[in-house]
Amino acid sequence: MSSILGDLRHAIRSLAKAPGFSLVTIFTLALGIGGCTAIFSVVYGVLLQPLPFDRPDQLVMLRELSDKGTPMNVPEQNFLDWQSGAQSIESMAFYNMFESALAGGSEPVRTQASMVSEEFFDVLRVKPFIGRPLLPEDHKQGAPPAVLVSYKFWQASLGGDRDLTGKQLRSSGYSFAVAGVMPPSFGFPAQTDVWVPKGVLEPVNPSRSAHNWRVIARLKPEVSVDRARGELSQIAKHIHGDFKDVTAVDATVLPLQDAFTARIRPALLLLSGSVGLLLLIACANVMNMLLARATTQEREFAVRAALGASRMRLVRQCVTESLVLALAGAVVGALLASWGVRALLVLGQGQIPRSDNVHVNVAVLAFALVLSIVTSVLMGFVPGWRASRPALASVMNEGGRASSSSGGQKYIRNGLVVSQVALTLVLLLSAGLLARSFGRVMAVELGFQRENRLGLDLSMPSPSDKQ
């Protein structure tokens, strides 16, 4: 143990004497580890982490397709036909989102609400954290209005009071009794704070061209997405043939997780490839710097070997220095990863689905850390191994000049340089193509003058709202 501590103290002193080399190496490792961890943490949280529901692999989203193949929301009448005719589906529900001004809490707020059908929470297999679920009678026209609220809304607007008796929320002339509070982990649809039974607010719409609803479903066990897609396609085609006002010609089924991430997936995969190359470039840079340092230390190690230092002792000292650099880079990289994740969430606010699940992923951080440590430690073997070779006199006579690098070491360094240039060119070309594409998008003529023009979102009360 004392010898290990001695190696550690010597490594710190040696690196402190070369602050420029140490800081550049640590920063290079930190940049590769931090950038890779931040992006892959977002990728894992958005694309790879399973949905927080029971048997998420059974959950799908159902969409209608126009004659041009464009996905569309579903009319309520078509939904009812799907519900009665689909044998591969265990349960099915629809929902839609709207903004609502709510009073009755600590202060009036404008928040996101979702209108849901009776089977909505059964499909997701989620129950309230406090209170009762929405019952079938809550969905009947003319029933006393009741709602469920999110855990965040309960804490912020209702004071976290577990006694929901008498809790009322008012909106557009309605007074809703707060029936229950959803679990902290539940947030579907995204940003929803209040879930309202559809039957209370709107009667059944007889139109088959009113594409108002998003539909989710749970497949029966052992039923594949392809089988459900084929069955639903047949039903949709029959509906199109039987009713003249049906604009949809087909239907499709997507795994719910894929439906959530379809728009953001290409961008995240592109970023993943880019930061993967960045980490490889960082490792190659570190290898090159360690090899260069080994060249400058060759005379010192040759002297120590001539004085009786064993091969293992020299190798251990070099590995210790490399390990100190790698660990320091990992600490700084972890900080950069934490800041990077927060920055990505801020920049992608409203564009990144499932953002509540995104945080620094320990497994990704560990992988980047291990790769960097292995790279550094492997390069730590080189100077110790070379210093212990029999031909010490030639090294002593060369006086530590830079030209003393062996042919093998030069080949390694040249190979690393070539690899770095190739990887950097890939990144530069990709960045250039993206910048050019973005410039073309920004240059598209909108058909009107944009100067001194403003956009405004208005949320008007529904005609069915009570006055």
Side-chain angles (χ1 to χ4, degrees):
M1 179 62 71
S2 59
S3 61
I4 295 177
L5 292 177
D7 287 342
L8 184 60
R9 288 192 295 269
H10 183 276
I12 294 174
R13 287 196 303 270
S14 178
L15 293 174
K17 293 177 182 178
F21 164 80
S22 301
L23 290 176
V24 170
T25 303
I26 291 172
F27 178 76
T28 301
L29 282 173
L31 187 62
I33 293 172
C36 185
T37 302
I39 294 297
F40 276 102
S41 293
V42 175
V43 169
Y44 178 80
V46 174
L47 301 182
L48 302 179
Q49 187 174 5
L51 296 174
F53 305 119
D54 180 53
R55 294 297 305 272
D57 55 302
Q58 292 180 330
L59 294 173
V60 293
M61 179 167 283
L62 314 181
R63 304 293 300 275
E64 288 191 322
L65 298 175
S66 69
D67 55 357
K68 295 182 180 180
T70 304
M72 300 184 295
N73 290 341
V74 182
E76 188 172 357
Q77 289 294 332
N78 292 1
F79 166 84
L80 294 174
D81 289 342
W82 290 0
Q83 193 176 44
S84 61
Q87 301 301 313
S88 59
I89 292 177
E90 179 179 291
S91 54
M92 188 186 305
F94 62 77
Y95 68 96
N96 206 347
M97 298 163 290
F98 62 97
E99 287 190 348
S100 177
L102 293 175
S106 57
E107 60 182 14
V109 294
R110 188 165 191 83
T111 188
Q112 181 86 14
S114 290
M115 201 183 307
V116 299
S117 67
E118 182 177 337
E119 304 84 1
F120 181 80
F121 295 102
D122 292 333
V123 171
L124 299 174
R125 295 181 181 172
V126 178
K127 295 182 179 180
F129 169 70
I130 294 173
R132 66 170 179 84
L134 294 177
L135 304 174
E137 50 265 31
D138 292 321
H139 291 267
K140 293 180 180 179
Q141 192 74 27
V147 296
L148 297 177
V149 299
S150 70
Y151 185 89
K152 181 179 69 173
F153 182 88
W154 174 64
Q155 290 281 341
S157 295
L158 301 180
D161 187 359
R162 300 181 71 91
D163 184 7
L164 302 178
T165 306
K167 298 290 184 183
Q168 299 281 328
L169 298 176
R170 299 183 302 278
S171 177
S172 300
Y174 287 95
S175 183
F176 299 94
V178 179
V181 180
M182 298 307 294
S185 60
F186 183 75
F188 178 75
Q191 310 302 323
T192 297
D193 280 326
V194 180
W195 291 266
V196 185
K198 182 264 178 188
V200 171
L201 299 183
E202 292 187 6
V204 176
N205 190 336
S207 172
R208 290 185 179 269
S209 59
H211 299 273
N212 296 329
W213 303 103
R214 303 184 183 190
V215 179
I216 58 173
R218 180 175 290 275
L219 302 180
K220 290 181 178 178
E222 310 302 327
V223 172
S224 68
V225 172
D226 290 337
R227 176 182 164 186
R229 184 182 294 121
E231 182 185 41
L232 202 69
S233 176
Q234 291 298 319
I235 297 174
K237 290 175 180 177
H238 283 306
I239 294 174
H240 176 70
D242 293 342
F243 300 94
K244 294 182 180 180
D245 61 337
V246 173
T247 56
V249 301
D250 204 346
T252 188
V253 178
L254 286 174
L256 190 58
Q257 184 156 343
D258 291 350
F260 286 166
T261 60
R263 294 180 60 185
I264 197 70
R265 179 183 295 271
L268 288 181
L269 293 179
L270 180 62
L271 284 174
S272 300
S274 299
V275 297
L277 293 178
L278 178 64
L279 181 60
L280 292 178
I281 292 173
C283 290
N285 270 324
V286 170
M287 292 170 70
N288 249 332
M289 287 187 287
L290 289 174
L291 285 173
R293 179 172 169 80
T295 300
T296 63
Q297 289 182 311
E298 209 167 46
R299 178 177 172 80
E300 173 193 342
F301 284 116
V303 171
R304 292 175 62 186
L307 294 175
S310 67
R311 172 180 294 184
M312 183 57 64
R313 183 71 179 80
L314 295 174
V315 169
R316 193 176 67 189
Q317 182 59 55
C318 294
V319 169
T320 303
E321 288 187 11
S322 300
L323 192 58
V324 169
L325 291 171
L327 291 177
V331 171
V332 180
L335 293 175
L336 291 179
S338 179
W339 296 334
V341 168
R342 288 199 291 269
L344 287 170
L345 292 179
V346 170
L347 292 173
Q349 190 171 14
Q351 303 297 321
I352 299 179
R354 308 183 64 198
S355 58
D356 292 341
N357 297 322
V358 176
H359 50 79
V360 176
N361 187 275
V362 177
V364 175
L365 179 61
F367 171 77
L369 172 60
V370 169
L371 180 60
S372 302
I373 289 178
V374 168
T375 299
S376 301
V377 170
L378 284 178
M379 287 301 99
F381 277 97
V382 175
W385 186 266
R386 283 176 49 78
S388 63
R389 72 189 192 273
L392 298 177
S394 60
V395 177
M396 298 287 291
N397 292 332
E398 286 168 353
R401 293 173 298 173
S403 59
S404 63
S405 297
S406 70
Q409 188 167 338
K410 289 180 181 179
Y411 285 135
I412 294 175
R413 295 180 62 183
N414 290 339
L416 289 173
V417 170
V418 170
S419 301
Q420 287 176 265
V421 171
L423 293 173
T424 305
L425 282 176
V426 171
L427 288 179
L428 287 174
L429 290 174
S430 300
L433 290 173
L434 286 174
R436 185 176 181 183
S437 299
F438 180 74
R440 288 182 174 179
V441 170
M442 297 300 295
V444 171
E445 290 295 334
L446 299 179
F448 60 88
Q449 302 222 347
R450 292 173 288 184
E451 293 76 12
N452 300 321
R453 303 296 188 270
L454 297 175
L456 181 65
D457 288 332
L458 293 176
S459 180
M460 304 299 291
S462 169
S464 62
D465 287 346
K466 295 181 179 180
Q467 302 296 327

